[in-house]
Amino acid sequence: MSGVTPKRAFVLSGGANMGCAQVGMLLALFEHNITPDLVVGTSVGALNAAAVATNPTVEGVSELAHLWRELTSADIFPGGNLSRAWNIAKRGIYLVENTGLGKVIERATPIRDLSDLQLPIRVVTCDLKTGEEIVFSRGPIKEILLASSALPGVFPPIHLDGRVLVDGGVVDAVPVWHALSPDIDEIYILNVSGGGLLKNLRSPLDVMTRAFSISRNLRFDVELRNAQEKTKIYVLPRPIDQREMYDFNDSARLLDEAYKLSYAYLDENRLPNPEKKISLWKSIFK
């Protein structure tokens, strides 16, 4: 096997606003000439995975980084507090329309169907009626990514193929299992789900998201132990985030920090790159 490039899968977790950190990780990977043959994602990780599969190059990841650096909370949650309060008052089943999220998806990739991406992809969602884990490898990108990111109670569920679909993180926030294959030699896990310090619990939503984080971390631990018996696993480091999970206004700093952490991790845990590394970071993000 000497001289043969291993087959690699990237697994991108959910994690709401911490999707920015995944982009820093991705740039560090691509600058080490570590590129995927398969991408697997759930929630915000599915959006980032689709963007990478659209243009799997350093330049493509850099374009995604530009998107995240410019992203604000208002882009994801248009309408402000008044519309959220109105939805509660009229007993709606969600707080925020997904129009802002849909525009971000359109900026991330112009491709219409998952099967037309340059890399094979697996996008994890959850069927709200049956509780099943539904994984897509083809189908309309925008609708599937909206479904995978539809945090229950926050964004509206997506009706697709006779199912009512919500955030894939409900069932599998770090979908390592879907990257396992006899053809895959290495798996790189970009887990930004449920990290950071325990914040003060100030609202029912804080309690819900904390409990959600505990349950999905437990599944990740189980999947990781099983996966390590079958293939080589690299879990990239993530920065600590002190923000509320719906605050997208400090993405640039966290993206930069994740890049530096992952770059150092790859230098330490991988053989030196035989080719000269050309870092675009300093020239693009001053």
Side-chain angles (χ1 to χ4, degrees):
M1 293 295 290
S2 177
V4 177
T5 301
K7 295 291 186 178
R8 304 176 179 121
F10 288 4
V11 176
L12 290 82
S13 75
N17 54 358
M18 277 296 284
C20 61
Q22 286 180 339
V23 184
M25 297 173 183
L26 286 166
L27 191 61
L29 284 163
F30 273 78
E31 288 189 357
H32 279 77
N33 287 334
I34 300 171
T35 58
D37 299 283
L38 167 70
V39 288
V40 181
T42 190
S43 196
V44 70
L47 185 151
N48 285 334
V52 169
T54 298
N55 184 5
T57 64
V58 173
E59 290 76 15
V61 178
S62 297
E63 291 175 5
L64 180 61
H66 275 301
L67 188 159
W68 272 97
R69 288 172 65 87
E70 297 172 353
L71 205 59
T72 67
S73 300
D75 292 324
I76 306 295
F77 306 111
N81 293 328
L82 181 60
S83 65
R84 291 192 282 275
W86 173 245
N87 276 334
I88 294 173
K90 69 179 184 180
R91 299 184 183 276
I93 62 172
Y94 58 90
L95 298 180
V96 187
E97 296 289 348
N98 60 15
T99 52
L101 183 57
K103 291 178 181 178
V104 173
I105 291 171
E106 291 172 353
R107 290 173 61 189
T109 176
I111 305 300
R112 299 291 185 88
D113 194 282
L114 293 177
S115 61
D116 293 328
L117 293 168
Q118 292 192 41
L119 296 174
I121 190 171
R122 306 288 182 268
V123 175
V124 179
T125 67
C126 173
D127 188 324
L128 193 59
K129 293 189 294 185
T130 67
E132 294 175 89
E133 184 172 345
I134 308 300
V135 182
F136 289 91
S137 60
R138 61 177 59 84
I141 280 188
K142 185 174 181 179
E143 288 80 0
I144 292 170
L145 294 182
L146 284 173
S148 187
S149 303
L151 187 64
V154 177
F155 291 115
I158 300 298
H159 295 259
L160 184 65
D161 295 339
R163 297 183 181 275
V164 181
L165 301 174
V166 295
D167 196 313
V170 171
V171 286
D172 200 352
V174 194
V176 182
W177 186 253
H178 300 293
L180 293 177
S181 165
D183 298 330
I184 297 297
D185 304 301
E186 299 177 349
I187 298 176
Y188 292 80
I189 299 176
L190 288 66
N191 179 19
V192 297
S193 174
L197 301 174
L198 175 61
K199 303 179 181 69
N200 293 328
L201 302 179
R202 295 190 294 265
S203 71
L205 187 58
D206 289 339
V207 175
M208 181 194 74
T209 53
R210 176 57 185 162
F212 194 30
S213 172
I214 292 170
S215 65
R216 60 192 180 186
N217 283 344
L218 287 174
R219 172 157 182 177
F220 172 55
D221 290 342
V222 172
E223 287 201 10
L224 183 59
R225 286 197 298 270
N226 291 334
Q228 286 172 329
E229 297 175 358
K230 301 176 177 65
T231 189
K232 181 65 176 176
I233 303 288
Y234 296 91
V235 181
L236 274 66
R238 61 189 173 194
I240 293 175
D241 183 16
Q242 300 282 8
R243 304 172 300 171
E244 299 296 328
M245 70 176 295
Y246 304 114
D247 180 4
F248 284 75
N249 295 314
D250 199 19
S251 294
R253 178 185 61 81
L254 288 161
L255 193 158
D256 189 17
E257 186 176 345
Y259 168 79
K260 293 174 182 176
L261 287 171
S262 294
Y263 203 100
Y265 168 86
L266 293 170
D267 277 347
E268 181 179 351
N269 290 278
R270 297 281 305 183
L271 292 174
N273 190 339
E275 299 179 16
K276 181 180 179 182
K277 298 174 192 172
I278 303 175
S279 176
L280 300 183
W281 187 256
K282 290 183 180 179
S283 63
I284 296 176
F285 305 111
K286 296 180 180 179

